[in-house]
């Protein structure tokens, strides 16, 4: 259970990045960190409870997370081509 | 015990620098380093499949994807001074102190699992694996559609 504090620290760092950064790539890095903290919990509990099902869940979660990153990056590239910036404060210009 | 403390400090420091550094390339490199240390953590917890998967996905896919995305965009950041970077290093080490104390106090030992990961995946979560394959296929088609529409616009 002691590793939970470590995953909570990773979660806090991810939330810090998510709330203070405006670059879309930095936001994606923060989201990656949050999902790494979540999947770390799967692995920790799988290890402590001696159950491989947690590893299976972690593998499934990590695959979907990678797909999410790919989609978000594709959207970021399209937004950059349209607006010339990856700053999320510029996204309101997409309405125009 | 000592290697766990080193891994803890390395993990928290690299995670903090991945968010703290303004230069996206350095931030992605720091994220890749965090994934390496995380997979080493998984090896120390005796969960090798998760460790290998974290290494392959975290560095082989996510870091490469983020670097590619950064390559397609313009650099708009302002360079940080050495003083700010040192300040970030001190902050990250301070941030890792609770984790060091808790990991150092850990007494339970972990053991490897009795049944294999393949049976857990294919016997217990078979539907999930099939559904995830469909999700990945749909996402790949979606990305192709997003970029294809843009190309036809241009």
């Amino acid at each position: 259970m002691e590793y939970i504090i470590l995953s909570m620290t990773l979660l806090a760092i991810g939330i810090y990045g998510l709330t203070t950064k405006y670059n879309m790539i930095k936001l994606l890095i923060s989201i990656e960190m949050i999902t790494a903290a979540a999947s770390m919990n799967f692995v920790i509990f799988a290890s402590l409870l001696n159950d491989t099902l947690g590893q299976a869940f972690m593998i499934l979660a990590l695959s979907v997370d990678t797909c999410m990153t790919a989609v978000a990056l594709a959207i970021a590239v399209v937004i950059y081509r349209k607006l010339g910036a990856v700053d999320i404060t510029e996204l309101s210009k997409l309405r125009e | 015990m000592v290697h766990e403390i080193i891994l803890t400090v390395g993990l928290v420091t690299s995670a903090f620098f991945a968010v703290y550094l303004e230069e996206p390339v350095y931030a992605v490199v720091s994220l890749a380093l965090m994934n390496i240390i995380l997979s080493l953590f998984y090896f120390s917890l005796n969960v090798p499949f998760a460790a290998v998967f974290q290494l392959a996905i975290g560095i082989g896919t996510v870091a490469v994807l983020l670097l590619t995305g950064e390559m397609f965009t313009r650099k708009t950041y302002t360079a940080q001074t050495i003083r700010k970077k040192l300040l970030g290093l001190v902050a990250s080490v301070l941030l890792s102190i609770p984790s060091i104390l808790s990991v150092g106090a850990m007494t339970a030992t972990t053991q490897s699992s009795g049944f294999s990961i393949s049976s857990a995946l294919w016997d217990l979560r078979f539907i999930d694996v099939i559904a995830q394959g469909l999700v990945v296929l749909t996402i790949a088609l979606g990305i192709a559609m997003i970029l294809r529409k843009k190309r036809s616009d241009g």
Side-chain angles (χ1 to χ4, degrees):
Chain A
M1 294 293 286
E2 288 81 3
Y3 284 103
I4 301 298
I5 294 178
L6 186 57
S7 74
M8 291 286 283
T9 308
L10 283 185
L11 178 72
I13 293 172
I15 290 174
Y16 161 73
L18 210 55
T19 51
T20 57
K21 303 293 176 183
Y22 297 104
N23 188 319
M24 283 188 77
I25 292 174
K26 298 302 292 289
L27 293 181
L28 278 177
I29 289 174
S30 302
I31 293 171
E32 278 297 317
M33 210 158 291
I34 290 171
T35 54
S39 61
M40 192 178 180
N41 280 337
F42 278 122
V43 175
I44 289 167
F45 283 114
S47 175
L48 291 178
L49 300 176
N50 201 12
D51 187 2
T52 49
L53 196 58
Q55 288 187 70
F57 270 120
M58 180 261 185
I59 288 172
L60 294 173
L62 213 57
S63 306
V64 174
D65 169 55
T66 308
C67 294
M68 182 273 298
T69 305
V71 171
L73 268 176
I75 292 173
V77 169
V78 170
I79 287 172
Y80 176 74
R81 285 178 184 169
K82 211 167 185 64
L83 298 179
V86 284
D87 197 324
I88 57 166
T89 56
E90 303 282 325
L91 291 188
S92 59
K93 289 180 184 172
L94 286 174
R95 284 183 299 188
E96 296 165 4
Chain B
M1 172 70 185
V2 176
H3 76 277
E4 282 175 345
I5 291 174
I6 292 171
L7 286 178
T8 303
V9 174
L11 185 66
V12 175
T13 305
S14 57
F16 186 77
F17 272 107
V19 171
Y20 181 72
L21 289 177
E22 290 294 332
E23 298 93 335
V25 176
Y26 294 158
V28 173
V29 169
S30 194
L31 182 76
L33 187 65
M34 187 202 85
N35 280 318
I36 291 174
I37 297 173
L38 200 56
S39 71
L40 289 177
F41 239 121
Y42 292 165
F43 273 118
S44 75
L45 284 173
N46 216 354
V47 278
F49 290 105
V52 170
F53 205 76
Q54 179 76 37
L55 200 65
I57 295 291
I59 299 159
T61 310
V62 173
V64 172
L65 274 175
L66 288 172
L67 275 178
T68 309
E70 199 278 332
M71 198 176 67
F72 282 130
T73 58
R74 193 180 46 187
K75 285 76 186 163
T76 55
Y77 59 86
T78 53
Q80 287 173 307
T81 59
I82 295 290
R83 191 178 169 199
K84 280 187 84 173
K85 288 177 182 172
L86 283 176
L87 196 67
L89 183 65
V90 172
S92 63
V93 171
L94 286 177
L95 204 60
S96 63
I97 285 176
S99 305
I100 291 171
L101 294 177
S102 64
V103 169
M106 186 171 139
T107 53
T109 55
T110 55
Q111 295 176 346
S112 61
S113 172
F115 72 109
S116 67
I117 189 83
S118 61
S119 66
L121 265 179
W122 294 109
D123 295 342
L124 298 175
R125 312 307 307 174
F126 174 72
I127 301 294
D128 287 353
V129 173
I130 299 296
Q132 192 178 37
L134 290 174
V135 168
V136 171
L137 187 65
T138 310
I139 286 171
L141 287 174
I143 291 172
M145 287 304 291
I146 289 172
L147 296 176
R148 181 169 158 263
K149 189 180 174 190
K150 182 63 195 172
R151 195 184 302 161
S152 66
D153 285 349

